[in-house]
Amino acid sequence: MSKYPLTRLIFGREASIALAGPHIFVLDSRTGNIRCSTQNISDQSQPHSGGPIQFIATDVDFVHIATIAGDKKLVVWNLSDLQVLSSREIPKRATGLTFTRDGQTIIVSDKFGDVFYYPLHPPPVEETVPPPAPPEPEPSTKRSSLVAHDNKHGELILGHTSIITTFLLTPDEQYIITADRDEHIRVSWYPKGYHIERYCLGSTKFLSALCIPQSDHSVLISGGGDPSLRVWDWMSGKLLGEVPIFEHVRPFLKVKPERKVKGGESGVGRKGRKKRGAKEGEAEKPAEPKAEGGGAGEGEGEDEEKRQNPQTEEAAERAEQQSSEPEDVLVVSKIASFNVEEEKMVLFSAVGASALFYFAYPLSDAPPRYVDFGKPVLDFALGTEGNSIWVSVDGQWHEPAAVNITEDGDVEMSNGPEGEVAVVRHIRWRDGQFHESATKDAPPLFTALNSSCLIEASHKDLAALELYSDLAFLPKSKREEEGEEEGSDPGGEDKQKDKRLGVRALGRQKARMALLRKQNEELEEGQGASSSTGAKGGIKKMVCLRRGFCVNMKGKFMVKV
């Protein structure tokens, strides 16, 4: 019988927390004994009804736990006995969850691009006479911005025009740093998020992980779909350096996204869509029938050629199979800093990769090092010992079946090595690198996590976890990228292309243009007299957008490249 993997690990000096599907385990950090869990709570009494818990966080003092599942409910628990203290609905599916340092505020980001804060304990509901219903507004096709941000339980901090994938509070909690699927990193005031302090621009793909190192709070490390991690001075928006990682991660990528079907006999994909160029209301032209003479002759000639050259057909089939194989996709899932023995390290993991990677900080020319666990890494957390890391892996994952042909021509299927695999690993820093601990040398908590916290799960339960959904969800499809390219004409000259864009895409376009103009104005003011040394009648230096337009420092568009 399959068992739930431990998708989230949190460690404290007195208590540790493990998340297994819809269940929470609170364990004693020293002895490994289970203090309490939700395993014995009946399904009717469970506060979450939407499958597995997706996000979990605890306050600094390990007094309260906050969770969010697919039912879009924010549930607050008492950590000592897992008693439910409150349950509130959130407007959209969450993408992030954290507590503030004082433990009295919970911050949640969602897929609509908003960040809200909620008080730890919701205010009491006063019974009042409901006011008379207002008159119904006239029907409109436009969606009100007030309705889009409506939240009766939380207060809006800020909003993006794209999905917020991750966020964090700075150590002094004066700023909140958010990242989205459209390559933006924004530094805003907290809690007055409408004051935007800075943007960190330069990423070419989605962002999925952020980290401020313990040793240097002025630095931000970001990662996502780009082949490198980027190091920023987040107060100035300046890029300080890059750490190439893709070629080092690629050999350990065990999980690949399913290839999206564009269409065909199954009708999946572009079914029902009209061909480009077809006018509205105009039916697609049926395929022209082949001529009776030449068409049949050509088909017979091709069949005869295939019969005479079977190797050519086999080579074509192999080439088609290779082209249909999914590509390696990089999604950085987590970044954290680690200080031990005067060594300052940065650790990171990638979705579907079987290794945990680390490199020294400040940056050097040395490539990232790794510890390979043979199974995809789901989460990692710093231990309380000061020199150890706990790593959770997907124990149910196994290598794809291999086909072996025996000398007699029989077909044998091989699924790789079988047997029980520890779902939680423990590594220690020793002699300048990480080493995996042997079972006999691991602390008592190690045995409890690999035995007492494992719950049986069906294949349907495991599929509901969506462990590797970010591999397909975060990367943009070619159609999305082409759609932005088509509508990215900032001058508004091509109105037909703008009509094909939605409200969100137009909002992103306007935000990019406004941001670029602001940065160009700041750059022009900073250069002063040095800028006037260029060619007459203008400024020599140009700034190029990634979307394909080149502008001068006054924000006027010059040429489309």
Side-chain angles (χ1 to χ4, degrees):
M1 185 68 178
S2 301
K3 297 180 180 180
Y4 279 113
L6 302 184
T7 54
R8 187 78 167 87
L9 300 173
I10 304 175
F11 294 92
R13 294 192 178 276
E14 299 294 332
S16 298
I17 301 170
L19 181 62
H23 297 292
I24 305 171
F25 291 88
V26 179
L27 304 94
D28 189 291
S29 296
R30 294 187 178 91
T31 64
N33 296 332
I34 296 179
R35 292 183 175 181
C36 53
S37 72
T38 59
Q39 187 178 4
N40 298 325
I41 300 178
S42 62
D43 294 340
Q44 292 76 14
S45 302
Q46 290 282 358
H48 288 298
S49 59
I53 296 174
Q54 298 171 341
F55 298 94
I56 184 170
T58 182
D59 56 4
V60 176
D61 298 326
F62 273 65
V63 177
H64 298 104
I65 297 175
T67 58
I68 298 176
D71 56 358
K72 295 189 293 187
K73 288 183 180 179
L74 171 62
V75 180
V76 178
W77 314 67
N78 190 10
L79 187 145
S80 61
D81 56 5
L82 288 181
Q83 179 184 357
V84 177
L85 302 179
S86 65
S87 178
R88 287 163 279 185
E89 292 185 0
I90 59 177
K92 302 294 180 182
R93 295 194 66 175
T95 59
L97 171 69
T98 191
F99 277 88
T100 54
R101 188 171 52 234
D102 61 5
Q104 298 301 307
T105 305
I106 303 170
I107 303 177
V108 180
S109 62
D110 61 36
K111 288 191 174 183
F112 196 78
D114 295 333
V115 180
F116 292 92
Y117 71 85
Y118 301 81
L120 176 64
H121 302 291
V125 179
E126 299 180 359
E127 296 183 0
T128 57
V129 179
E136 295 184 1
E138 297 181 359
S140 174
T141 57
K142 295 184 178 180
R143 187 180 183 185
S144 172
S145 60
L146 296 178
V147 175
H149 300 285
D150 185 25
N151 187 347
K152 60 182 179 181
H153 298 295
E155 295 292 334
L156 181 67
I157 300 176
L158 57 87
H160 282 224
T161 56
S162 178
I163 297 173
I164 292 181
T165 53
T166 185
F167 73 93
L168 57 79
L169 289 173
T170 57
D172 59 3
E173 294 192 348
Q174 296 297 310
Y175 301 92
I176 181 171
I177 304 178
T178 50
D180 62 29
R181 190 170 174 243
D182 282 345
E183 310 99 31
H184 301 137
I185 299 175
R186 183 197 297 183
V187 181
S188 308
W189 291 12
Y190 175 79
K192 299 179 180 180
Y194 50 83
H195 290 293
I196 300 175
E197 181 70 25
R198 184 65 58 188
Y199 281 87
C200 299
L201 300 178
S203 302
T204 59
K205 292 186 178 180
F206 62 87
L207 293 146
S208 54
L210 299 173
C211 173
I212 294 179
Q214 301 174 10
S215 58
D216 190 353
H217 292 172
S218 67
V219 166
L220 174 72
I221 302 175
S222 68
D226 281 325
S228 300
L229 297 182
R230 284 179 164 82
V231 181
W232 310 85
D233 178 349
W234 55 268
M235 276 300 292
S236 65
K238 181 181 179 182
L239 180 64
L240 302 178
E242 298 186 13
V243 181
I245 62 171
F246 184 53
E247 294 305 322
H248 303 284
V249 175
R250 174 181 280 177
F252 302 97
L253 290 175
K254 302 295 184 180
V255 183
K256 297 183 180 181
E258 295 182 0
R259 191 175 183 87
K260 298 180 181 179
V261 181
K262 294 184 178 180
E265 295 178 0
S266 62
V268 179
R270 303 172 67 90
K271 181 179 179 180
R273 294 178 182 170
K274 296 178 182 179
K275 293 181 179 179
R276 288 191 176 183
K279 296 181 180 179
E280 191 173 341
E282 180 180 344
E284 294 183 8
K285 295 181 180 181
E288 296 182 1
K290 294 182 180 180
E292 293 184 357
E298 291 176 0
E300 292 177 358
E302 292 177 358
D303 293 340
E304 182 65 24
E305 183 179 355
K306 289 180 179 180
R307 285 194 294 269
Q308 293 179 359
N309 302 305
Q311 295 180 355
T312 304
E313 184 178 1
E314 292 177 2
E317 290 178 357
R318 285 196 301 269
E320 183 179 357
Q321 183 178 2
Q322 292 175 357
S323 63
S324 62
E325 292 180 358
E327 298 179 353
D328 293 325
V329 175
L330 175 64
V331 178
V332 177
S333 55
K334 189 173 183 178
I335 307 173
S337 62
F338 180 81
N339 299 340
V340 61
E341 299 178 1
E342 300 182 357
E343 295 281 351
K344 300 174 183 178
M345 312 298 297
V346 175
L347 302 94
F348 68 94
S349 59
V351 177
S354 63
L356 180 66
F357 305 88
Y358 60 99
F359 58 89
Y361 182 84
L363 303 182
S364 65
D365 295 332
R369 292 179 284 176
Y370 62 86
V371 180
D372 185 19
F373 302 98
K375 301 278 187 178
V377 173
L378 302 179
D379 188 28
F380 70 91
L382 297 132
T384 57
E385 302 94 334
N387 66 337
S388 65
I389 304 291
W390 295 84
V391 183
S392 173
V393 300
D394 184 3
Q396 302 299 323
W397 180 91
H398 57 80
E399 293 283 354
V403 180
N404 301 321
I405 309 297
T406 65
E407 295 180 358
D408 300 332
D410 298 329
V411 178
E412 294 180 349
M413 303 296 291
S414 173
N415 290 324
E418 297 181 357
E420 292 294 331
V421 178
V423 297
V424 175
R425 310 292 184 87
H426 186 258
I427 58 176
R428 293 183 185 273
W429 182 266
R430 186 176 68 252
D431 300 330
Q433 60 183 347
F434 283 107
H435 299 271
E436 186 169 3
S437 303
T439 304
K440 61 179 181 178
D441 300 329
L445 186 58
F446 175 85
T447 304
L449 290 171
N450 284 288
S451 57
S452 305
C453 298
L454 301 184
I455 306 173
E456 293 185 351
S458 64
H459 292 291
K460 183 178 180 181
D461 294 332
L462 295 178
L465 294 175
E466 298 181 347
L467 298 176
Y468 311 107
S469 59
D470 284 346
L471 293 175
F473 169 69
L474 288 178
K476 291 185 178 180
S477 64
K478 291 183 179 180
R479 185 175 183 84
E480 287 179 294
E481 294 176 353
E482 289 173 358
E484 291 185 359
E485 294 286 348
E486 290 171 359
S488 58
D489 184 0
E493 297 176 358
D494 194 349
K495 300 297 182 181
Q496 292 300 117
K497 294 179 181 179
D498 286 345
K499 288 181 180 179
R500 290 199 291 268
L501 286 178
V503 176
R504 294 170 67 87
L506 286 172
R508 289 194 294 268
Q509 171 187 315
K510 293 178 180 178
R512 291 191 194 101
M513 299 304 105
L515 174 62
L516 184 67
R517 284 193 292 269
K518 181 179 178 181
Q519 290 184 333
N520 287 335
E521 290 173 359
E522 293 178 356
L523 186 61
E524 183 179 6
E525 292 175 0
Q527 289 193 355
S530 60
S531 300
S532 61
T533 59
K536 291 184 178 180
I539 300 173
K540 181 186 294 185
K541 187 170 182 179
M542 308 288 287
V543 180
C544 294
L545 281 104
R546 187 178 66 82
R547 297 296 178 187
F549 291 89
C550 196
V551 300
N552 67 7
M553 293 177 59
K554 293 184 178 180
K556 297 180 181 179
F557 289 88
M558 303 294 294
V559 60
K560 182 175 179 180
V561 294

